[in-house]
Amino acid sequence: MALALAAAGVVACGGGGEDDAASSATVDQDVKNRVEDQLAGSTGTTVEVADEPTSMEDWEALWADQRQAIVDRIKENGWGTSADGKSITGPEGYKVDLAACPAEWSETEGLTDTSIKFGWPAPLSGPQADFGALPKGAKAVLDHYSAAGAFKDSAGKTRSFDVIIRDDAYDTARTIPLTDEMLDSDRVFALATMISPGGLKTYDKVNQRCVPQYITTGHPAWGDPVSHPWTTGIILSYATEAILWGSFIEQHLDEWGGKAKVAALVMSNDFGKAYINSLKAFIEQSPRKADITLVTEGLEPAAPTIKDQMTTLASQSPDVYIAMVTGTSCTQSITESAENGMSDNIKAAFLPSVCKASSFIGKDKVGGDGAVSDGWWIVGGGTKDFNAAALANDPYIAWGRDVIKEAGFDYATSGNYGWGVGMGWQLAQIFMIAGDLPGGLTRANLNIATRTIDMTSPALISGVKYNMDGNADAYLIEGSDIAQWSTAEQQWKVDSVVELSGASKNCAWNAANGACA
């Protein structure tokens, strides 16, 4: 019987099946407690919401003040590169040993007097090629700020970004040599990595080389300021997202009859494993674990369709469906669940945070009048839907769309252009802060600017914070919305917002166990 269940991909209480490593995963109890406190017995926004600037001029003025406050804080506390040049210090015991960097390491490798060389392996081809819109969107923003002379540093040098984007086709076997090429041949100043498996296979090397690395995924491993101080994740942790899914299920169990079968389509890589292992861990420790059954199907990243897997999941008559996938598989989850009848009886269906865009769920994508999308849920990572028609008057969204258009792209064709605009904004702010520190733009200054960032991100829903604090807070974004899609309005309608800054424990990733140590 156990063999039959494993073969069918059915697991209960968070253990067994093809992801036995989940038994080593644990739930971040502080995060869980804060989620429960903020969501218990309430609907609607549960965090303080501030008025946003009403023009880009006001936004830029706010950011200038916030950047100056960060620079002042660093200077007043004497953080940054030590007098002997052997370490970087920061808040809450944060320290980086520069003496451990390679003998040939340079603070300014990849910089000239006029340029910043920035490397970016990214999926430009294959089934996940839509992700290529992300670095293109970020480059458009960095080019915009470069043209405005925004990257003039305290040493008087004004530089422009030289973003090198090369195709890894969402294939770790290509990400690794491309990263090597950018480190060894291009000699980039800093780089970005697009996929969780590629990040896990390169971040040891990148940190040994003391090169700043920004990863556009929510794998929990990026929250490791002690062993991997040069690597930063830029979206909500998948582990936190799983806690929010689990909390939602717990809250609704009784109204669903006291029990729930949860069906998950899981991408068969480190991205998918981070999701499923975290959800299994949540179920295992839940006081309602006996009432929750988990049914899973795996999906190869290169798979063009998900029909077979969705048919199998539908045959299990689940109460909840969660898409632990990305790209086109998000839209396919909606259309396939409608076609195979799953959506007729399901209580709740979730897209992942990485698909928070109208371009994945809107009627133009799913077809017809868009009714098959109505009522789908998302733990959206706190991000605004860059593609939503309803946000056309948001000054940041309008500005970002213009920047994308000026770069020769159509933002409406991909939600990843919006993600790219958000990342371009993040990089621009961090680089400007680093440049304003004593000595101008250096890798060490970029490191400490990243670890002390505390700003208001225009890409996030009001009330969701954007900050880090040395060793005490290693995740840039810890807040999220829980939202439901409205076909009539063609937008995500926010049901609740939680803010968890500083709650997440640091994560020393144990690859053997597939969990934070």
Side-chain angles (χ1 to χ4, degrees):
M1 181 176 178
L3 290 172
L5 287 172
V10 181
V11 296
C13 306
E18 61 183 349
D19 292 301
D20 287 329
S23 61
S24 299
T26 58
V27 173
D28 191 325
Q29 198 60 46
D30 288 342
V31 170
K32 184 177 185 295
N33 289 343
R34 283 178 59 174
V35 167
E36 291 176 345
D37 287 345
Q38 292 183 46
L39 294 183
S42 67
T43 59
T45 301
T46 53
V47 297
E48 182 179 351
V49 176
D51 292 334
E52 290 189 344
T54 57
S55 70
M56 279 305 291
E57 291 76 15
D58 290 343
W59 269 118
E60 293 288 1
L62 172 64
W63 298 331
D65 290 344
Q66 291 178 338
R67 291 195 303 268
Q68 187 60 54
I70 296 166
V71 170
D72 291 344
R73 182 185 180 214
I74 292 171
K75 290 180 178 179
E76 289 167 3
N77 286 279
W79 296 330
T81 306
S82 61
D84 60 8
K86 293 183 179 181
S87 65
I88 305 170
T89 58
E92 304 295 335
Y94 181 75
K95 188 172 184 178
V96 183
D97 182 10
L98 296 179
C101 298
E104 69 277 11
W105 180 73
S106 168
E107 284 261 43
T108 57
E109 182 179 58
L111 298 181
T112 70
D113 287 348
T114 59
S115 69
I116 303 165
K117 193 176 288 188
F118 191 93
W120 207 319
L124 303 178
S125 63
Q128 303 297 339
D130 184 66
F131 273 122
L134 196 158
K136 293 173 185 176
K139 181 179 184 301
V141 172
L142 295 171
D143 287 345
H144 170 86
Y145 276 113
S146 294
F151 303 113
K152 181 177 181 178
D153 71 5
S154 62
K157 296 180 180 178
T158 302
R159 300 181 174 93
S160 296
F161 265 81
D162 174 15
V163 182
I164 304 167
I165 304 172
R166 296 200 178 110
D167 184 19
D168 69 4
Y170 201 86
D171 181 355
T172 303
R174 294 175 63 172
T175 307
I176 296 169
L178 282 177
T179 300
D180 290 341
E181 182 179 325
M182 290 174 174
L183 292 174
D184 299 330
S185 299
D186 296 309
R187 299 284 178 175
V188 297
F189 177 73
L191 54 82
T193 307
M194 289 284 294
I195 59 178
S196 294
L200 289 169
K201 292 295 185 182
T202 60
Y203 80 150
D204 284 338
K205 179 184 300 181
V206 172
N207 276 264
Q208 290 164 5
R209 298 283 290 269
C210 300
V211 176
Q213 179 186 33
Y214 299 90
I215 304 188
T216 63
T217 84
H219 198 286
W222 316 147
D224 184 10
V226 177
S227 299
H228 296 89
W230 297 94
T231 296
T232 304
I234 60 97
I235 65 174
L236 179 72
S237 167
Y238 302 143
T240 300
E241 188 172 352
I243 289 174
L244 285 160
W245 288 333
S247 297
F248 183 97
I249 293 166
E250 278 187 342
Q251 282 189 328
H252 291 84
L253 273 176
D254 289 336
E255 69 184 71
W256 294 341
K259 292 183 180 294
K261 181 180 287 185
V262 181
L265 180 62
V266 186
M267 188 163 281
S268 300
N269 61 10
D270 291 301
F271 161 75
K273 288 178 181 178
Y275 270 143
I276 193 62
N277 288 358
S278 296
L279 182 60
K280 285 182 177 181
F282 181 96
I283 295 172
E284 179 61 31
Q285 60 75 52
S286 171
R288 302 294 300 271
K289 69 177 182 179
D291 299 323
I292 303 171
T293 303
L294 182 61
V295 182
T296 66
E297 281 291 316
L299 179 71
E300 291 300 320
T305 69
I306 64 174
K307 183 175 289 293
D308 290 346
Q309 291 88 347
M310 290 297 288
T311 299
T312 300
L313 291 175
S315 70
Q316 299 289 332
S317 301
D319 301 292
V320 179
Y321 169 73
I322 303 176
M324 302 181 186
V325 294
T326 191
T328 56
S329 298
C330 290
T331 304
Q332 291 171 349
S333 289
I334 298 168
T335 56
E336 290 293 343
S337 65
E339 182 178 318
N340 64 32
M342 182 195 293
S343 59
D344 293 338
N345 301 306
I346 210 160
K347 305 295 193 305
F350 281 87
L351 288 187
S353 61
V354 293
C355 290
K356 175 79 176 292
S358 301
S359 60
F360 291 110
I361 195 171
K363 62 183 180 181
D364 291 341
K365 182 63 80 171
V366 300
D369 61 1
V372 294
S373 303
D374 197 48
W376 276 67
W377 290 90
I378 197 165
V379 173
T383 60
K384 295 176 181 176
D385 180 0
F386 191 85
N387 295 66
L391 294 182
N393 293 325
D394 181 298
Y396 160 76
I397 299 290
W399 169 81
R401 291 175 179 178
D402 286 342
V403 170
I404 293 297
K405 183 178 179 180
E406 290 169 5
F409 306 117
D410 180 0
Y411 80 88
T413 61
S414 172
N416 279 305
Y417 283 120
W419 284 92
V421 170
M423 181 154 185
W425 175 85
Q426 294 182 57
L427 290 172
Q429 304 306 314
I430 294 169
F431 272 76
M432 282 188 266
I433 294 166
D436 282 340
L437 293 172
L441 183 60
T442 65
R443 283 172 167 165
N445 280 348
L446 188 63
N447 182 291
I448 194 61
T450 303
R451 294 294 171 179
T452 55
I453 194 81
D454 187 1
M455 297 185 68
T456 305
S457 170
L460 298 177
I461 294 168
S462 183
V464 177
K465 296 182 179 179
Y466 176 80
N467 55 24
M468 290 206 294
D469 194 25
N471 282 349
D473 185 357
Y475 294 92
L476 276 171
I477 299 169
E478 294 175 81
S480 181
D481 57 309
I482 301 176
Q484 192 170 27
W485 180 256
S486 168
T487 292
E489 300 180 50
Q490 288 293 290
Q491 65 172 316
W492 290 105
K493 302 290 290 183
V494 175
D495 178 79
S496 302
V497 176
V498 297
E499 172 46 46
L500 307 165
S501 286
S504 304
K505 293 182 176 65
N506 294 343
C507 177
W509 187 251
N510 185 323
N513 292 336
C516 298

